[in-house]
PDB file of all heavy atoms in Angstrom:
ATOM      1  N   THR A 104      -9.951   0.789  11.379  1.00 91.00           N
ATOM      2  CA  THR A 104     -10.909   0.835  12.461  1.00 91.00           C
ATOM      3  C   THR A 104     -10.962  -0.346  13.372  1.00 91.00           C
ATOM      4  O   THR A 104     -11.056  -0.208  14.556  1.00 91.00           O
ATOM      5  CB  THR A 104     -12.344   1.089  11.760  1.00 91.00           C
ATOM      6  OG1 THR A 104     -12.386   2.225  11.061  1.00 91.00           O
ATOM      7  CG2 THR A 104     -13.448   0.876  12.883  1.00 91.00           C
ATOM      8  N   LEU A 105     -10.755  -1.506  12.719  1.00 94.00           N
ATOM      9  CA  LEU A 105     -10.638  -2.712  13.519  1.00 94.00           C
ATOM     10  C   LEU A 105      -9.398  -2.737  14.311  1.00 94.00           C
ATOM     11  O   LEU A 105      -9.413  -3.390  15.514  1.00 94.00           O
ATOM     12  CB  LEU A 105     -10.841  -3.945  12.620  1.00 94.00           C
ATOM     13  CG  LEU A 105     -12.172  -4.158  11.971  1.00 94.00           C
ATOM     14  CD1 LEU A 105     -12.178  -5.270  11.022  1.00 94.00           C
ATOM     15  CD2 LEU A 105     -13.286  -4.251  12.947  1.00 94.00           C
ATOM     16  N   ILE A 106      -8.366  -2.219  13.796  1.00 92.00           N
ATOM     17  CA  ILE A 106      -7.080  -2.111  14.618  1.00 92.00           C
ATOM     18  C   ILE A 106      -7.304  -1.307  15.850  1.00 92.00           C
ATOM     19  O   ILE A 106      -6.923  -1.702  16.913  1.00 92.00           O
ATOM     20  CB  ILE A 106      -5.959  -1.619  13.782  1.00 92.00           C
ATOM     21  CG1 ILE A 106      -5.551  -2.596  12.649  1.00 92.00           C
ATOM     22  CG2 ILE A 106      -4.732  -1.286  14.594  1.00 92.00           C
ATOM     23  CD1 ILE A 106      -4.568  -2.057  11.662  1.00 92.00           C
ATOM     24  N   LYS A 107      -7.894  -0.131  15.657  1.00 88.00           N
ATOM     25  CA  LYS A 107      -8.069   0.777  16.807  1.00 88.00           C
ATOM     26  C   LYS A 107      -9.124   0.187  17.767  1.00 88.00           C
ATOM     27  O   LYS A 107      -8.893   0.337  19.003  1.00 88.00           O
ATOM     28  CB  LYS A 107      -8.688   2.125  16.248  1.00 88.00           C
ATOM     29  CG  LYS A 107      -7.663   2.980  15.504  1.00 88.00           C
ATOM     30  CD  LYS A 107      -8.353   4.229  15.052  1.00 88.00           C
ATOM     31  CE  LYS A 107      -7.284   5.066  14.256  1.00 88.00           C
ATOM     32  NZ  LYS A 107      -7.885   6.350  13.720  1.00 88.00           N
ATOM     33  N   ASP A 108     -10.043  -0.602  17.297  1.00 91.00           N
ATOM     34  CA  ASP A 108     -11.046  -1.294  18.182  1.00 91.00           C
ATOM     35  C   ASP A 108     -10.513  -2.602  18.837  1.00 91.00           C
ATOM     36  O   ASP A 108     -11.181  -3.222  19.580  1.00 91.00           O
ATOM     37  CB  ASP A 108     -12.260  -1.505  17.464  1.00 91.00           C
ATOM     38  CG  ASP A 108     -13.017  -0.274  17.131  1.00 91.00           C
ATOM     39  OD1 ASP A 108     -12.752   0.789  17.677  1.00 91.00           O
ATOM     40  OD2 ASP A 108     -13.892  -0.273  16.211  1.00 91.00           O
ATOM     41  N   LYS A 109      -9.251  -2.947  18.415  1.00 93.00           N
ATOM     42  CA  LYS A 109      -8.613  -4.202  18.840  1.00 93.00           C
ATOM     43  C   LYS A 109      -9.571  -5.392  18.603  1.00 93.00           C
ATOM     44  O   LYS A 109      -9.862  -6.219  19.387  1.00 93.00           O
ATOM     45  CB  LYS A 109      -8.334  -4.110  20.377  1.00 93.00           C
ATOM     46  CG  LYS A 109      -7.239  -3.110  20.690  1.00 93.00           C
ATOM     47  CD  LYS A 109      -6.916  -3.182  22.202  1.00 93.00           C
ATOM     48  CE  LYS A 109      -5.649  -2.294  22.475  1.00 93.00           C
ATOM     49  NZ  LYS A 109      -5.701  -0.907  22.035  1.00 93.00           N
ATOM     50  N   ALA A 110     -10.095  -5.394  17.335  1.00 96.00           N
ATOM     51  CA  ALA A 110     -10.989  -6.395  16.828  1.00 96.00           C
ATOM     52  C   ALA A 110     -10.464  -7.417  15.919  1.00 96.00           C
ATOM     53  O   ALA A 110     -11.174  -8.084  15.121  1.00 96.00           O
ATOM     54  CB  ALA A 110     -12.227  -5.665  16.234  1.00 96.00           C
ATOM     55  N   LEU A 111      -9.156  -7.567  15.866  1.00 97.00           N
ATOM     56  CA  LEU A 111      -8.480  -8.552  14.976  1.00 97.00           C
ATOM     57  C   LEU A 111      -7.850  -9.603  15.794  1.00 97.00           C
ATOM     58  O   LEU A 111      -7.485  -9.519  16.948  1.00 97.00           O
ATOM     59  CB  LEU A 111      -7.292  -7.826  14.169  1.00 97.00           C
ATOM     60  CG  LEU A 111      -7.722  -6.764  13.249  1.00 97.00           C
ATOM     61  CD1 LEU A 111      -6.481  -6.242  12.492  1.00 97.00           C
ATOM     62  CD2 LEU A 111      -8.764  -7.102  12.351  1.00 97.00           C
ATOM     63  N   GLU A 112      -7.878 -10.854  15.182  1.00 98.00           N
ATOM     64  CA  GLU A 112      -7.337 -12.059  15.819  1.00 98.00           C
ATOM     65  C   GLU A 112      -5.773 -12.010  15.885  1.00 98.00           C
ATOM     66  O   GLU A 112      -5.255 -11.565  14.843  1.00 98.00           O
ATOM     67  CB  GLU A 112      -7.853 -13.286  15.142  1.00 98.00           C
ATOM     68  CG  GLU A 112      -7.489 -14.602  15.718  1.00 98.00           C
ATOM     69  CD  GLU A 112      -8.234 -14.831  17.040  1.00 98.00           C
ATOM     70  OE1 GLU A 112      -9.162 -14.111  17.419  1.00 98.00           O
ATOM     71  OE2 GLU A 112      -7.789 -15.843  17.737  1.00 98.00           O
ATOM     72  N   ASP A 113      -5.231 -12.515  16.907  1.00 98.00           N
ATOM     73  CA  ASP A 113      -3.850 -12.603  17.024  1.00 98.00           C
ATOM     74  C   ASP A 113      -3.399 -13.799  16.089  1.00 98.00           C
ATOM     75  O   ASP A 113      -3.709 -14.940  16.249  1.00 98.00           O
ATOM     76  CB  ASP A 113      -3.371 -12.967  18.415  1.00 98.00           C
ATOM     77  CG  ASP A 113      -1.882 -13.211  18.576  1.00 98.00           C
ATOM     78  OD1 ASP A 113      -1.150 -12.974  17.693  1.00 98.00           O
ATOM     79  OD2 ASP A 113      -1.504 -13.605  19.692  1.00 98.00           O
ATOM     80  N   LEU A 114      -2.570 -13.405  14.983  1.00 98.00           N
ATOM     81  CA  LEU A 114      -2.149 -14.422  14.017  1.00 98.00           C
ATOM     82  C   LEU A 114      -0.665 -14.935  14.240  1.00 98.00           C
ATOM     83  O   LEU A 114      -0.125 -15.556  13.344  1.00 98.00           O
ATOM     84  CB  LEU A 114      -2.281 -13.851  12.534  1.00 98.00           C
ATOM     85  CG  LEU A 114      -3.789 -13.407  12.248  1.00 98.00           C
ATOM     86  CD1 LEU A 114      -3.769 -12.787  10.860  1.00 98.00           C
ATOM     87  CD2 LEU A 114      -4.669 -14.571  12.285  1.00 98.00           C
ATOM     88  N   THR A 115      -0.084 -14.563  15.317  1.00 98.00           N
ATOM     89  CA  THR A 115       1.257 -14.947  15.595  1.00 98.00           C
ATOM     90  C   THR A 115       1.382 -16.498  15.377  1.00 98.00           C
ATOM     91  O   THR A 115       2.535 -16.878  14.831  1.00 98.00           O
ATOM     92  CB  THR A 115       1.727 -14.608  17.026  1.00 98.00           C
ATOM     93  OG1 THR A 115       1.362 -13.222  17.188  1.00 98.00           O
ATOM     94  CG2 THR A 115       3.149 -14.815  17.199  1.00 98.00           C
ATOM     95  N   PRO A 116       0.503 -17.305  15.773  1.00 97.00           N
ATOM     96  CA  PRO A 116       0.668 -18.794  15.607  1.00 97.00           C
ATOM     97  C   PRO A 116       0.772 -19.126  14.119  1.00 97.00           C
ATOM     98  O   PRO A 116       1.361 -20.193  13.769  1.00 97.00           O
ATOM     99  CB  PRO A 116      -0.626 -19.367  16.163  1.00 97.00           C
ATOM    100  CG  PRO A 116      -1.050 -18.385  17.236  1.00 97.00           C
ATOM    101  CD  PRO A 116      -0.754 -17.114  16.616  1.00 97.00           C
ATOM    102  N   VAL A 117       0.206 -18.383  13.243  1.00 97.00           N
ATOM    103  CA  VAL A 117       0.354 -18.710  11.770  1.00 97.00           C
ATOM    104  C   VAL A 117       1.837 -18.740  11.399  1.00 97.00           C
ATOM    105  O   VAL A 117       2.269 -19.597  10.453  1.00 97.00           O
ATOM    106  CB  VAL A 117      -0.389 -17.687  10.915  1.00 97.00           C
ATOM    107  CG1 VAL A 117      -0.223 -17.957   9.428  1.00 97.00           C
ATOM    108  CG2 VAL A 117      -1.855 -17.784  11.279  1.00 97.00           C
ATOM    109  N   LEU A 118       2.645 -17.910  11.959  1.00 97.00           N
ATOM    110  CA  LEU A 118       4.028 -17.877  11.569  1.00 97.00           C
ATOM    111  C   LEU A 118       4.817 -19.166  11.885  1.00 97.00           C
ATOM    112  O   LEU A 118       5.707 -19.492  11.217  1.00 97.00           O
ATOM    113  CB  LEU A 118       4.754 -16.751  12.304  1.00 97.00           C
ATOM    114  CG  LEU A 118       4.272 -15.259  11.954  1.00 97.00           C
ATOM    115  CD1 LEU A 118       4.876 -14.312  12.944  1.00 97.00           C
ATOM    116  CD2 LEU A 118       4.630 -14.964  10.529  1.00 97.00           C
ATOM    117  N   ASP A 119       4.270 -19.938  12.838  1.00 97.00           N
ATOM    118  CA  ASP A 119       4.812 -21.241  13.203  1.00 97.00           C
ATOM    119  C   ASP A 119       4.091 -22.353  12.575  1.00 97.00           C
ATOM    120  O   ASP A 119       4.542 -23.572  12.890  1.00 97.00           O
ATOM    121  CB  ASP A 119       4.859 -21.331  14.707  1.00 97.00           C
ATOM    122  CG  ASP A 119       5.783 -20.403  15.438  1.00 97.00           C
ATOM    123  OD1 ASP A 119       6.853 -20.022  14.920  1.00 97.00           O
ATOM    124  OD2 ASP A 119       5.296 -19.850  16.560  1.00 97.00           O
ATOM    125  N   THR A 120       3.228 -22.101  11.710  1.00 97.00           N
ATOM    126  CA  THR A 120       2.499 -23.105  11.080  1.00 97.00           C
ATOM    127  C   THR A 120       3.184 -23.622   9.803  1.00 97.00           C
ATOM    128  O   THR A 120       3.653 -22.797   9.022  1.00 97.00           O
ATOM    129  CB  THR A 120       1.052 -22.685  10.572  1.00 97.00           C
ATOM    130  OG1 THR A 120       0.381 -22.233  11.792  1.00 97.00           O
ATOM    131  CG2 THR A 120       0.309 -23.747   9.878  1.00 97.00           C
ATOM    132  N   LYS A 121       3.334 -24.878   9.651  1.00 96.00           N
ATOM    133  CA  LYS A 121       3.956 -25.450   8.409  1.00 96.00           C
ATOM    134  C   LYS A 121       3.138 -25.251   7.223  1.00 96.00           C
ATOM    135  O   LYS A 121       1.937 -25.448   7.235  1.00 96.00           O
ATOM    136  CB  LYS A 121       4.227 -26.956   8.557  1.00 96.00           C
ATOM    137  CG  LYS A 121       5.085 -27.609   7.439  1.00 96.00           C
ATOM    138  CD  LYS A 121       5.472 -28.986   7.709  1.00 96.00           C
ATOM    139  CE  LYS A 121       6.452 -29.057   8.865  1.00 96.00           C
ATOM    140  NZ  LYS A 121       6.959 -30.459   8.940  1.00 96.00           N
ATOM    141  N   VAL A 122       3.792 -24.734   6.192  1.00 96.00           N
ATOM    142  CA  VAL A 122       3.067 -24.442   4.850  1.00 96.00           C
ATOM    143  C   VAL A 122       2.691 -25.730   4.236  1.00 96.00           C
ATOM    144  O   VAL A 122       3.583 -26.574   3.994  1.00 96.00           O
ATOM    145  CB  VAL A 122       3.938 -23.540   3.966  1.00 96.00           C
ATOM    146  CG1 VAL A 122       3.291 -23.360   2.615  1.00 96.00           C
ATOM    147  CG2 VAL A 122       4.351 -22.238   4.600  1.00 96.00           C
ATOM    148  N   PRO A 123       1.430 -25.862   3.878  1.00 92.00           N
ATOM    149  CA  PRO A 123       0.999 -27.117   3.168  1.00 92.00           C
ATOM    150  C   PRO A 123       1.787 -27.425   1.978  1.00 92.00           C
ATOM    151  O   PRO A 123       2.085 -26.541   1.133  1.00 92.00           O
ATOM    152  CB  PRO A 123      -0.472 -26.791   2.758  1.00 92.00           C
ATOM    153  CG  PRO A 123      -0.905 -25.774   3.817  1.00 92.00           C
ATOM    154  CD  PRO A 123       0.279 -24.988   4.049  1.00 92.00           C
ATOM    155  N   GLY A 124       2.284 -28.637   1.922  1.00 89.00           N
ATOM    156  CA  GLY A 124       3.035 -29.080   0.681  1.00 89.00           C
ATOM    157  C   GLY A 124       4.485 -28.781   0.784  1.00 89.00           C
ATOM    158  O   GLY A 124       5.289 -28.915  -0.177  1.00 89.00           O
ATOM    159  N   GLY A 125       4.994 -28.306   1.969  1.00 90.00           N
ATOM    160  CA  GLY A 125       6.381 -27.967   2.131  1.00 90.00           C
ATOM    161  C   GLY A 125       6.814 -28.350   3.566  1.00 90.00           C
ATOM    162  O   GLY A 125       6.077 -28.886   4.299  1.00 90.00           O
ATOM    163  N   GLU A 126       8.176 -28.008   3.817  1.00 92.00           N
ATOM    164  CA  GLU A 126       8.786 -28.381   5.138  1.00 92.00           C
ATOM    165  C   GLU A 126       8.930 -27.150   5.924  1.00 92.00           C
ATOM    166  O   GLU A 126       9.112 -27.209   7.191  1.00 92.00           O
ATOM    167  CB  GLU A 126      10.068 -29.113   4.913  1.00 92.00           C
ATOM    168  CG  GLU A 126       9.956 -30.434   4.262  1.00 92.00           C
ATOM    169  CD  GLU A 126       9.130 -31.451   5.063  1.00 92.00           C
ATOM    170  OE1 GLU A 126       9.261 -31.396   6.323  1.00 92.00           O
ATOM    171  OE2 GLU A 126       8.332 -32.161   4.408  1.00 92.00           O
ATOM    172  N   GLN A 127       8.809 -25.916   5.347  1.00 95.00           N
ATOM    173  CA  GLN A 127       9.051 -24.790   6.137  1.00 95.00           C
ATOM    174  C   GLN A 127       7.809 -24.163   6.758  1.00 95.00           C
ATOM    175  O   GLN A 127       6.687 -24.469   6.261  1.00 95.00           O
ATOM    176  CB  GLN A 127       9.631 -23.627   5.194  1.00 95.00           C
ATOM    177  CG  GLN A 127      11.050 -23.915   4.671  1.00 95.00           C
ATOM    178  CD  GLN A 127      11.466 -22.831   3.768  1.00 95.00           C
ATOM    179  OE1 GLN A 127      10.880 -22.498   2.752  1.00 95.00           O
ATOM    180  NE2 GLN A 127      12.592 -22.172   4.153  1.00 95.00           N
ATOM    181  N   THR A 128       8.002 -23.398   7.859  1.00 97.00           N
ATOM    182  CA  THR A 128       6.849 -22.758   8.383  1.00 97.00           C
ATOM    183  C   THR A 128       6.569 -21.377   7.596  1.00 97.00           C
ATOM    184  O   THR A 128       7.392 -20.998   6.734  1.00 97.00           O
ATOM    185  CB  THR A 128       7.111 -22.340   9.859  1.00 97.00           C
ATOM    186  OG1 THR A 128       8.162 -21.414   9.959  1.00 97.00           O
ATOM    187  CG2 THR A 128       7.423 -23.594  10.693  1.00 97.00           C
TER     188      THR A 128
END
Side-chain angles (χ1 to χ4, degrees):
T104 297
L105 292 179
I106 291 173
K107 290 180 180 179
D108 292 344
K109 294 182 170 58
L111 299 184
E112 184 70 8
D113 178 8
L114 299 179
T115 309
V117 175
L118 296 171
D119 296 323
T120 301
K121 184 174 290 187
V122 177
E126 295 300 320
Q127 293 179 303
T128 65

